[in-house]
Amino acid sequence: MYFSKLKQAEGTRQQTDRFGGYWPEDTAGAHQFYGMRNLCADAYPYLMPRGRRTKVYEGDSPGGIHGGEKLLYVDGTTLYYNGAACGQVAAGEKQFVQMGARVLILPDKLVFDTQNQQLKAVEAQFSTVGAVDISLCAWDGSDLGEITVSATAPEEPADGMLWLDTSASPQRLCQYAAASLCWVVRSDTAIRIAAAGIGALFAAGDGISVSGCANEAINGSHILLDAAQDCIRLEGLLAERFSQTAALTVRRSMPDLDFAVELNNRIWGCSSAAREIYACKLGDPFNWNCFGGTAADSYAVSVGSPGAFTGAAVYQGAALFFKEDCLHKVLGSKPANFQLTWAPIEGVRIGAHRTLKLAGGYLFYQAADGVRVYGSSGTTLLSGRWGVAPAGCAGAFSGKYYLYLPGRGLLVYDLASGLWHREDETEVAGFACCGGTLFAQLANGEIWRLAGEAVAGQEEGSISWQAESGAFPAALSGGSYVSGLTLRVLLEAGSTLAVDLCYDDSGEYTQIYAIAGGGKKTYRLPILPRLAETVRIRLRGQGDMRVYGLTRRVREV
């Protein structure tokens, strides 16, 4: 007796050998991962665990971290440089802006010199006690001698005679030149203010303000020609010498800055309260009020856009000042040609100024609608709605953008692959690059090496990792179905791997495999899912491994 042969169902294979990184949204497919822990893109297109971290310093109360030649950070109210205490600051979050060997610390308005490791206040104020002597002298401090004060020129003047012409406005000091039989205006006059200790806090070139002087013409803004312990000189003219005992105050001030950056040997900053953008004197972070008409002057400009500033950065030779819905850009090389432009864009969200970071020639930041990248052609959204999280902080290293988002953990965007990966739930307070190494200051005050060159410290053990795929259909159109899966994975000696399946988004996972690597070996693991509408696969393990691919076998009915 003969029976007809049953026709074998035809099948196809769907190969996933390029994994799509972390994407915690319902749109995540079989090649992407809805959940992830401690994986990275270093072996792209394959999966591998992140590198081991090293704890470098202990701490209790993080206040900020800055890179450079050596680590500069704040714990509590103590400033540390290369692990050694070097000064005291106020408690709270700090911003660090480096210009050469000096680092400006905000909002404290302190400058730390990395060469002599000394802290110095940007602002200075001195009020005199006792007698104050105010007289006219030459720029070099030498006495001018007797001066004739009148509205008309003296008759029969001698060669070198000085005459203060009070008929001119402003008044001018003239000196008679017998050789040419004429009066020559002298422009090298200075006002000398002498009092005990008046110049100790100041230096030549400082932009200062004077108040409390009996001669109102002297009160106001000046640029110091010189400063000594008990004397200062400033450009000006004085009809006669006088003294006073009332307190005279000299002050060097700095605007209150919300955010600051360094560009072309100047520190640039912005103030939402004043609606202004500022730049310090060329090469001098101590002076913000030097307006002498030179290329080295300080700079200030008002902005007309509404809303508060939300962050600042430097990009392609321009200083950028963000608001949530626009961008102000400053171009130019000196005050005479500085230009301020404005453009409407999706800017930095309020509180997310620490997410602004330059990586691979692009500027990354957290906007109101997610994580964005800014380039010459505008901005591009890099995240889904998962990027709409509380404001975080960021760092950049070796073609990667490291972003900590509260509630999401530490995420890494790899520019080469264009993919996100999630490391873990470590709470990061700040990042810094130093000596070819990326460091992170954690919320508990500890400082860890995250990537780059090895450093001395306490290295963590083997890495536990996990990857949960998006839901992919197991029951297809026309009665087709996924009949099997094959996972190809490499395990190193001592590594472990577990494979779990979840059906129809029930939230319950069933373990399919649990293996341990006895040596470096590649495994092909067949997986037979039961019939369901959707399937999720979860991989978890400990130690080094590589996930090479996942094959789905589809049976057609």
mmCIF file of all heavy atoms in Angstrom, residues 492-537:
data_model
loop_
_atom_site.group_PDB
_atom_site.id
_atom_site.type_symbol
_atom_site.label_atom_id
_atom_site.label_comp_id
_atom_site.label_asym_id
_atom_site.label_seq_id
_atom_site.Cartn_x
_atom_site.Cartn_y
_atom_site.Cartn_z
ATOM 1 N N GLU A 492 34.703 33.633 26.556
ATOM 2 C CA GLU A 492 36.059 33.440 27.052
ATOM 3 C C GLU A 492 36.021 32.489 28.254
ATOM 4 O O GLU A 492 34.967 32.223 28.830
ATOM 5 C CB GLU A 492 36.659 34.778 27.473
ATOM 6 C CG GLU A 492 36.820 35.774 26.343
ATOM 7 C CD GLU A 492 38.032 35.487 25.471
ATOM 8 O OE1 GLU A 492 38.818 34.580 25.838
ATOM 9 O OE2 GLU A 492 38.197 36.157 24.431
ATOM 10 N N ALA A 493 37.164 32.011 28.635
ATOM 11 C CA ALA A 493 37.250 31.111 29.788
ATOM 12 C C ALA A 493 36.738 31.826 31.032
ATOM 13 O O ALA A 493 37.115 32.963 31.322
ATOM 14 C CB ALA A 493 38.686 30.658 29.999
ATOM 15 N N GLY A 494 35.847 31.153 31.763
ATOM 16 C CA GLY A 494 35.294 31.705 32.987
ATOM 17 C C GLY A 494 34.074 32.579 32.790
ATOM 18 O O GLY A 494 33.444 32.997 33.760
ATOM 19 N N SER A 495 33.722 32.861 31.527
ATOM 20 C CA SER A 495 32.532 33.674 31.260
ATOM 21 C C SER A 495 31.277 32.816 31.315
ATOM 22 O O SER A 495 31.323 31.593 31.132
ATOM 23 C CB SER A 495 32.637 34.335 29.884
ATOM 24 O OG SER A 495 33.754 35.192 29.823
ATOM 25 N N THR A 496 30.151 33.451 31.566
ATOM 26 C CA THR A 496 28.872 32.740 31.617
ATOM 27 C C THR A 496 27.871 33.412 30.698
ATOM 28 O O THR A 496 27.990 34.598 30.369
ATOM 29 C CB THR A 496 28.304 32.717 33.044
ATOM 30 O OG1 THR A 496 28.038 34.061 33.467
ATOM 31 C CG2 THR A 496 29.280 32.063 34.008
ATOM 32 N N LEU A 497 26.876 32.635 30.284
ATOM 33 C CA LEU A 497 25.812 33.138 29.423
ATOM 34 C C LEU A 497 24.504 32.448 29.779
ATOM 35 O O LEU A 497 24.468 31.226 29.963
ATOM 36 C CB LEU A 497 26.130 32.880 27.948
ATOM 37 C CG LEU A 497 24.980 33.104 26.949
ATOM 38 C CD1 LEU A 497 24.637 34.585 26.853
ATOM 39 C CD2 LEU A 497 25.317 32.535 25.575
ATOM 40 N N ALA A 498 23.429 33.232 29.883
ATOM 41 C CA ALA A 498 22.079 32.694 30.036
ATOM 42 C C ALA A 498 21.206 33.307 28.961
ATOM 43 O O ALA A 498 21.350 34.487 28.619
ATOM 44 C CB ALA A 498 21.519 33.003 31.415
ATOM 45 N N VAL A 499 20.304 32.483 28.403
ATOM 46 C CA VAL A 499 19.383 32.925 27.358
ATOM 47 C C VAL A 499 17.963 32.739 27.869
ATOM 48 O O VAL A 499 17.580 31.635 28.290
ATOM 49 C CB VAL A 499 19.581 32.138 26.053
ATOM 50 C CG1 VAL A 499 18.623 32.639 24.980
ATOM 51 C CG2 VAL A 499 21.025 32.238 25.580
ATOM 52 N N ASP A 500 17.169 33.810 27.848
ATOM 53 C CA ASP A 500 15.779 33.765 28.317
ATOM 54 C C ASP A 500 14.861 34.231 27.193
ATOM 55 O O ASP A 500 15.240 35.061 26.350
ATOM 56 C CB ASP A 500 15.581 34.682 29.530
ATOM 57 C CG ASP A 500 16.591 34.431 30.633
ATOM 58 O OD1 ASP A 500 16.917 33.248 30.859
ATOM 59 O OD2 ASP A 500 17.045 35.410 31.253
ATOM 60 N N LEU A 501 13.635 33.712 27.207
ATOM 61 C CA LEU A 501 12.614 34.134 26.239
ATOM 62 C C LEU A 501 11.386 34.639 26.974
ATOM 63 O O LEU A 501 11.014 34.121 28.037
ATOM 64 C CB LEU A 501 12.217 32.982 25.324
ATOM 65 C CG LEU A 501 13.279 32.445 24.350
ATOM 66 C CD1 LEU A 501 12.677 31.348 23.486
ATOM 67 C CD2 LEU A 501 13.846 33.561 23.487
ATOM 68 N N CYS A 502 10.745 35.662 26.385
ATOM 69 C CA CYS A 502 9.487 36.199 26.896
ATOM 70 C C CYS A 502 8.483 36.212 25.751
ATOM 71 O O CYS A 502 8.797 36.675 24.643
ATOM 72 C CB CYS A 502 9.695 37.612 27.444
ATOM 73 S SG CYS A 502 8.173 38.457 27.936
ATOM 74 N N TYR A 503 7.275 35.708 26.009
ATOM 75 C CA TYR A 503 6.265 35.593 24.967
ATOM 76 C C TYR A 503 5.152 36.605 25.187
ATOM 77 O O TYR A 503 4.680 36.819 26.319
ATOM 78 C CB TYR A 503 5.672 34.178 24.949
ATOM 79 C CG TYR A 503 6.704 33.101 24.725
ATOM 80 C CD1 TYR A 503 7.206 32.370 25.800
ATOM 81 C CD2 TYR A 503 7.184 32.830 23.451
ATOM 82 C CE1 TYR A 503 8.157 31.370 25.608
ATOM 83 C CE2 TYR A 503 8.141 31.836 23.250
ATOM 84 C CZ TYR A 503 8.623 31.120 24.326
ATOM 85 O OH TYR A 503 9.561 30.135 24.133
ATOM 86 N N ASP A 504 4.725 37.219 24.067
ATOM 87 C CA ASP A 504 3.550 38.098 24.041
ATOM 88 C C ASP A 504 3.640 39.214 25.080
ATOM 89 O O ASP A 504 2.629 39.624 25.663
ATOM 90 C CB ASP A 504 2.271 37.282 24.253
ATOM 91 C CG ASP A 504 2.040 36.292 23.114
ATOM 92 O OD1 ASP A 504 2.446 36.615 21.979
ATOM 93 O OD2 ASP A 504 1.475 35.221 23.367
ATOM 94 N N ASP A 505 4.851 39.706 25.330
ATOM 95 C CA ASP A 505 5.064 40.825 26.258
ATOM 96 C C ASP A 505 4.415 40.590 27.616
ATOM 97 O O ASP A 505 3.869 41.497 28.243
ATOM 98 C CB ASP A 505 4.551 42.143 25.660
ATOM 99 C CG ASP A 505 5.577 42.768 24.723
ATOM 100 O OD1 ASP A 505 6.779 42.513 24.914
ATOM 101 O OD2 ASP A 505 5.170 43.513 23.812
ATOM 102 N N SER A 506 4.520 39.368 28.084
ATOM 103 C CA SER A 506 3.939 39.033 29.391
ATOM 104 C C SER A 506 4.781 39.565 30.541
ATOM 105 O O SER A 506 4.302 39.663 31.676
ATOM 106 C CB SER A 506 3.809 37.514 29.523
ATOM 107 O OG SER A 506 5.091 36.899 29.521
ATOM 108 N N GLY A 507 6.048 39.875 30.272
ATOM 109 C CA GLY A 507 6.940 40.301 31.330
ATOM 110 C C GLY A 507 7.615 39.157 32.051
ATOM 111 O O GLY A 507 8.505 39.372 32.880
ATOM 112 N N GLU A 508 7.209 37.926 31.763
ATOM 113 C CA GLU A 508 7.791 36.751 32.400
ATOM 114 C C GLU A 508 8.767 36.080 31.441
ATOM 115 O O GLU A 508 8.408 35.757 30.302
ATOM 116 C CB GLU A 508 6.692 35.768 32.797
ATOM 117 C CG GLU A 508 5.715 36.330 33.823
ATOM 118 C CD GLU A 508 4.652 35.310 34.201
ATOM 119 O OE1 GLU A 508 4.694 34.187 33.644
ATOM 120 O OE2 GLU A 508 3.787 35.647 35.028
ATOM 121 N N TYR A 509 9.991 35.871 31.908
ATOM 122 C CA TYR A 509 11.026 35.251 31.078
ATOM 123 C C TYR A 509 11.239 33.806 31.512
ATOM 124 O O TYR A 509 11.219 33.487 32.698
ATOM 125 C CB TYR A 509 12.338 36.025 31.190
ATOM 126 C CG TYR A 509 12.402 37.235 30.284
ATOM 127 C CD1 TYR A 509 11.931 38.475 30.715
ATOM 128 C CD2 TYR A 509 12.927 37.117 28.997
ATOM 129 C CE1 TYR A 509 11.997 39.579 29.882
ATOM 130 C CE2 TYR A 509 12.997 38.221 28.159
ATOM 131 C CZ TYR A 509 12.528 39.442 28.600
ATOM 132 O OH TYR A 509 12.585 40.529 27.771
ATOM 133 N N THR A 510 11.460 32.944 30.499
ATOM 134 C CA THR A 510 11.766 31.536 30.729
ATOM 135 C C THR A 510 13.203 31.272 30.293
ATOM 136 O O THR A 510 13.577 31.603 29.156
ATOM 137 C CB THR A 510 10.819 30.625 29.928
ATOM 138 O OG1 THR A 510 9.467 30.907 30.306
ATOM 139 C CG2 THR A 510 11.143 29.152 30.184
ATOM 140 N N GLN A 511 14.004 30.708 31.175
ATOM 141 C CA GLN A 511 15.399 30.438 30.841
ATOM 142 C C GLN A 511 15.494 29.243 29.908
ATOM 143 O O GLN A 511 14.913 28.192 30.147
ATOM 144 C CB GLN A 511 16.210 30.181 32.109
ATOM 145 C CG GLN A 511 17.688 29.911 31.837
ATOM 146 C CD GLN A 511 18.509 29.820 33.099
ATOM 147 O OE1 GLN A 511 18.608 30.771 33.866
ATOM 148 N NE2 GLN A 511 19.069 28.637 33.341
ATOM 149 N N ILE A 512 16.264 29.431 28.807
ATOM 150 C CA ILE A 512 16.433 28.384 27.812
ATOM 151 C C ILE A 512 17.817 27.741 27.917
ATOM 152 O O ILE A 512 17.962 26.523 27.810
ATOM 153 C CB ILE A 512 16.230 28.947 26.386
ATOM 154 C CG1 ILE A 512 14.870 29.652 26.280
ATOM 155 C CG2 ILE A 512 16.355 27.848 25.342
ATOM 156 C CD1 ILE A 512 13.691 28.756 26.548
ATOM 157 N N TYR A 513 18.822 28.575 28.138
ATOM 158 C CA TYR A 513 20.193 28.083 28.234
ATOM 159 C C TYR A 513 20.880 28.743 29.424
ATOM 160 O O TYR A 513 20.576 29.889 29.795
ATOM 161 C CB TYR A 513 21.019 28.423 26.980
ATOM 162 C CG TYR A 513 20.752 27.517 25.797
ATOM 163 C CD1 TYR A 513 19.957 27.960 24.745
ATOM 164 C CD2 TYR A 513 21.330 26.262 25.734
ATOM 165 C CE1 TYR A 513 19.723 27.156 23.644
ATOM 166 C CE2 TYR A 513 21.104 25.441 24.624
ATOM 167 C CZ TYR A 513 20.297 25.892 23.600
ATOM 168 O OH TYR A 513 20.071 25.090 22.512
ATOM 169 N N ALA A 514 21.845 28.034 29.973
ATOM 170 C CA ALA A 514 22.757 28.584 30.965
ATOM 171 C C ALA A 514 24.063 27.815 30.814
ATOM 172 O O ALA A 514 24.152 26.631 31.167
ATOM 173 C CB ALA A 514 22.219 28.437 32.376
ATOM 174 N N ILE A 515 25.076 28.477 30.249
ATOM 175 C CA ILE A 515 26.329 27.794 29.985
ATOM 176 C C ILE A 515 27.483 28.623 30.532
ATOM 177 O O ILE A 515 27.361 29.827 30.764
ATOM 178 C CB ILE A 515 26.547 27.532 28.475
ATOM 179 C CG1 ILE A 515 26.550 28.872 27.704
ATOM 180 C CG2 ILE A 515 25.478 26.614 27.935
ATOM 181 C CD1 ILE A 515 26.847 28.691 26.239
ATOM 182 N N ALA A 516 28.621 27.945 30.739
ATOM 183 C CA ALA A 516 29.843 28.605 31.198
ATOM 184 C C ALA A 516 30.972 28.255 30.241
ATOM 185 O O ALA A 516 31.104 27.097 29.825
ATOM 186 C CB ALA A 516 30.195 28.169 32.617
ATOM 187 N N GLY A 517 31.762 29.271 29.893
ATOM 188 C CA GLY A 517 32.850 29.043 28.954
ATOM 189 C C GLY A 517 34.017 28.339 29.619
ATOM 190 O O GLY A 517 34.582 28.845 30.588
ATOM 191 N N GLY A 518 34.377 27.171 29.097
ATOM 192 C CA GLY A 518 35.524 26.448 29.628
ATOM 193 C C GLY A 518 36.828 26.895 29.004
ATOM 194 O O GLY A 518 37.905 26.570 29.486
ATOM 195 N N GLY A 519 36.751 27.638 27.954
ATOM 196 C CA GLY A 519 37.897 28.157 27.226
ATOM 197 C C GLY A 519 37.360 29.051 26.130
ATOM 198 O O GLY A 519 36.139 29.140 25.931
ATOM 199 N N LYS A 520 38.227 29.713 25.412
ATOM 200 C CA LYS A 520 37.754 30.584 24.340
ATOM 201 C C LYS A 520 37.136 29.733 23.243
ATOM 202 O O LYS A 520 37.818 28.968 22.559
ATOM 203 C CB LYS A 520 38.912 31.415 23.800
ATOM 204 C CG LYS A 520 38.480 32.466 22.795
ATOM 205 C CD LYS A 520 39.649 33.354 22.401
ATOM 206 C CE LYS A 520 39.191 34.450 21.448
ATOM 207 N NZ LYS A 520 40.311 35.340 21.064
ATOM 208 N N LYS A 521 35.811 29.868 23.087
ATOM 209 C CA LYS A 521 35.100 28.983 22.170
ATOM 210 C C LYS A 521 33.844 29.679 21.650
ATOM 211 O O LYS A 521 33.203 30.445 22.371
ATOM 212 C CB LYS A 521 34.704 27.693 22.896
ATOM 213 C CG LYS A 521 33.972 26.690 22.040
ATOM 214 C CD LYS A 521 33.614 25.437 22.838
ATOM 215 C CE LYS A 521 32.829 24.450 21.984
ATOM 216 N NZ LYS A 521 32.455 23.232 22.754
ATOM 217 N N THR A 522 33.516 29.408 20.378
ATOM 218 C CA THR A 522 32.293 29.934 19.769
ATOM 219 C C THR A 522 31.206 28.867 19.847
ATOM 220 O O THR A 522 31.421 27.705 19.483
ATOM 221 C CB THR A 522 32.528 30.322 18.303
ATOM 222 O OG1 THR A 522 33.524 31.340 18.238
ATOM 223 C CG2 THR A 522 31.249 30.849 17.672
ATOM 224 N N TYR A 523 30.024 29.285 20.311
ATOM 225 C CA TYR A 523 28.879 28.380 20.476
ATOM 226 C C TYR A 523 27.777 28.767 19.498
ATOM 227 O O TYR A 523 27.536 29.953 19.258
ATOM 228 C CB TYR A 523 28.324 28.465 21.902
ATOM 229 C CG TYR A 523 29.290 28.026 22.970
ATOM 230 C CD1 TYR A 523 30.237 28.915 23.491
ATOM 231 C CD2 TYR A 523 29.262 26.731 23.471
ATOM 232 C CE1 TYR A 523 31.123 28.532 24.475
ATOM 233 C CE2 TYR A 523 30.151 26.334 24.468
ATOM 234 C CZ TYR A 523 31.074 27.233 24.959
ATOM 235 O OH TYR A 523 31.951 26.843 25.936
ATOM 236 N N ARG A 524 27.119 27.732 18.967
ATOM 237 C CA ARG A 524 25.902 27.918 18.173
ATOM 238 C C ARG A 524 24.758 27.306 18.966
ATOM 239 O O ARG A 524 24.704 26.084 19.119
ATOM 240 C CB ARG A 524 26.022 27.263 16.797
ATOM 241 C CG ARG A 524 27.036 27.934 15.895
ATOM 242 C CD ARG A 524 27.132 27.238 14.550
ATOM 243 N NE ARG A 524 28.084 27.863 13.661
ATOM 244 C CZ ARG A 524 27.808 28.863 12.819
ATOM 245 N NH1 ARG A 524 26.553 29.302 12.754
ATOM 246 N NH2 ARG A 524 28.733 29.368 12.049
ATOM 247 N N LEU A 525 23.885 28.132 19.461
ATOM 248 C CA LEU A 525 22.835 27.668 20.357
ATOM 249 C C LEU A 525 21.490 27.673 19.651
ATOM 250 O O LEU A 525 20.948 28.743 19.331
ATOM 251 C CB LEU A 525 22.777 28.579 21.596
ATOM 252 C CG LEU A 525 24.095 28.752 22.360
ATOM 253 C CD1 LEU A 525 23.900 29.698 23.527
ATOM 254 C CD2 LEU A 525 24.618 27.404 22.841
ATOM 255 N N PRO A 526 20.906 26.470 19.376
ATOM 256 C CA PRO A 526 19.565 26.420 18.778
ATOM 257 C C PRO A 526 18.504 26.704 19.836
ATOM 258 O O PRO A 526 18.560 26.204 20.953
ATOM 259 C CB PRO A 526 19.463 24.983 18.258
ATOM 260 C CG PRO A 526 20.376 24.206 19.140
ATOM 261 C CD PRO A 526 21.484 25.129 19.534
ATOM 262 N N ILE A 527 17.542 27.521 19.467
ATOM 263 C CA ILE A 527 16.477 27.914 20.387
ATOM 264 C C ILE A 527 15.148 27.635 19.699
ATOM 265 O O ILE A 527 14.909 28.080 18.566
ATOM 266 C CB ILE A 527 16.583 29.416 20.755
ATOM 267 C CG1 ILE A 527 17.960 29.711 21.367
ATOM 268 C CG2 ILE A 527 15.471 29.826 21.693
ATOM 269 C CD1 ILE A 527 18.236 31.191 21.534
ATOM 270 N N LEU A 528 14.263 26.897 20.387
ATOM 271 C CA LEU A 528 12.958 26.562 19.817
ATOM 272 C C LEU A 528 11.865 27.284 20.608
ATOM 273 O O LEU A 528 11.444 26.816 21.675
ATOM 274 C CB LEU A 528 12.734 25.045 19.856
ATOM 275 C CG LEU A 528 13.745 24.203 19.073
ATOM 276 C CD1 LEU A 528 13.453 22.720 19.261
ATOM 277 C CD2 LEU A 528 13.685 24.566 17.591
ATOM 278 N N PRO A 529 11.383 28.405 20.123
ATOM 279 C CA PRO A 529 10.318 29.119 20.832
ATOM 280 C C PRO A 529 8.973 28.438 20.614
ATOM 281 O O PRO A 529 8.746 27.796 19.579
ATOM 282 C CB PRO A 529 10.351 30.508 20.200
ATOM 283 C CG PRO A 529 10.839 30.270 18.816
ATOM 284 C CD PRO A 529 11.807 29.138 18.908
ATOM 285 N N ARG A 530 8.094 28.598 21.578
ATOM 286 C CA ARG A 530 6.743 28.087 21.375
ATOM 287 C C ARG A 530 5.963 29.086 20.542
ATOM 288 O O ARG A 530 6.381 30.221 20.315
ATOM 289 C CB ARG A 530 6.057 27.842 22.713
ATOM 290 C CG ARG A 530 5.812 29.090 23.547
ATOM 291 C CD ARG A 530 5.001 28.712 24.786
ATOM 292 N NE ARG A 530 4.828 29.797 25.725
ATOM 293 C CZ ARG A 530 3.893 30.742 25.610
ATOM 294 N NH1 ARG A 530 3.074 30.745 24.567
ATOM 295 N NH2 ARG A 530 3.799 31.692 26.537
ATOM 296 N N LEU A 531 4.795 28.662 20.065
ATOM 297 C CA LEU A 531 3.969 29.533 19.234
ATOM 298 C C LEU A 531 3.470 30.719 20.055
ATOM 299 O O LEU A 531 2.970 30.559 21.168
ATOM 300 C CB LEU A 531 2.790 28.761 18.657
ATOM 301 C CG LEU A 531 3.144 27.693 17.610
ATOM 302 C CD1 LEU A 531 1.894 26.950 17.183
ATOM 303 C CD2 LEU A 531 3.810 28.351 16.407
ATOM 304 N N ALA A 532 3.630 31.899 19.513
ATOM 305 C CA ALA A 532 3.192 33.121 20.188
ATOM 306 C C ALA A 532 3.109 34.218 19.146
ATOM 307 O O ALA A 532 3.609 34.080 18.020
ATOM 308 C CB ALA A 532 4.158 33.503 21.301
ATOM 309 N N GLU A 533 2.474 35.308 19.521
ATOM 310 C CA GLU A 533 2.398 36.455 18.616
ATOM 311 C C GLU A 533 3.733 37.184 18.541
ATOM 312 O O GLU A 533 4.193 37.553 17.468
ATOM 313 C CB GLU A 533 1.300 37.418 19.072
ATOM 314 C CG GLU A 533 -0.113 36.876 18.915
ATOM 315 C CD GLU A 533 -0.476 36.690 17.443
ATOM 316 O OE1 GLU A 533 -0.042 37.512 16.607
ATOM 317 O OE2 GLU A 533 -1.171 35.709 17.144
ATOM 318 N N THR A 534 4.361 37.418 19.700
ATOM 319 C CA THR A 534 5.659 38.109 19.736
ATOM 320 C C THR A 534 6.604 37.390 20.691
ATOM 321 O O THR A 534 6.163 36.681 21.613
ATOM 322 C CB THR A 534 5.505 39.571 20.197
ATOM 323 O OG1 THR A 534 4.994 39.596 21.534
ATOM 324 C CG2 THR A 534 4.605 40.359 19.263
ATOM 325 N N VAL A 535 7.892 37.604 20.463
ATOM 326 C CA VAL A 535 8.926 37.000 21.298
ATOM 327 C C VAL A 535 9.984 38.060 21.593
ATOM 328 O O VAL A 535 10.333 38.870 20.724
ATOM 329 C CB VAL A 535 9.585 35.791 20.601
ATOM 330 C CG1 VAL A 535 10.738 35.248 21.447
ATOM 331 C CG2 VAL A 535 8.562 34.700 20.350
ATOM 332 N N ARG A 536 10.469 38.059 22.820
ATOM 333 C CA ARG A 536 11.651 38.845 23.183
ATOM 334 C C ARG A 536 12.720 37.871 23.654
ATOM 335 O O ARG A 536 12.425 36.908 24.358
ATOM 336 C CB ARG A 536 11.355 39.844 24.307
ATOM 337 C CG ARG A 536 10.459 41.002 23.921
ATOM 338 C CD ARG A 536 10.251 41.927 25.106
ATOM 339 N NE ARG A 536 9.274 42.966 24.854
ATOM 340 C CZ ARG A 536 9.569 44.189 24.420
ATOM 341 N NH1 ARG A 536 10.843 44.513 24.212
ATOM 342 N NH2 ARG A 536 8.622 45.078 24.216
ATOM 343 N N ILE A 537 13.967 38.179 23.307
ATOM 344 C CA ILE A 537 15.074 37.357 23.767
ATOM 345 C C ILE A 537 15.960 38.202 24.681
ATOM 346 O O ILE A 537 16.232 39.359 24.394
ATOM 347 C CB ILE A 537 15.887 36.787 22.580
ATOM 348 C CG1 ILE A 537 16.995 35.870 23.091
ATOM 349 C CG2 ILE A 537 16.436 37.896 21.685
ATOM 350 C CD1 ILE A 537 17.673 35.081 21.972
#
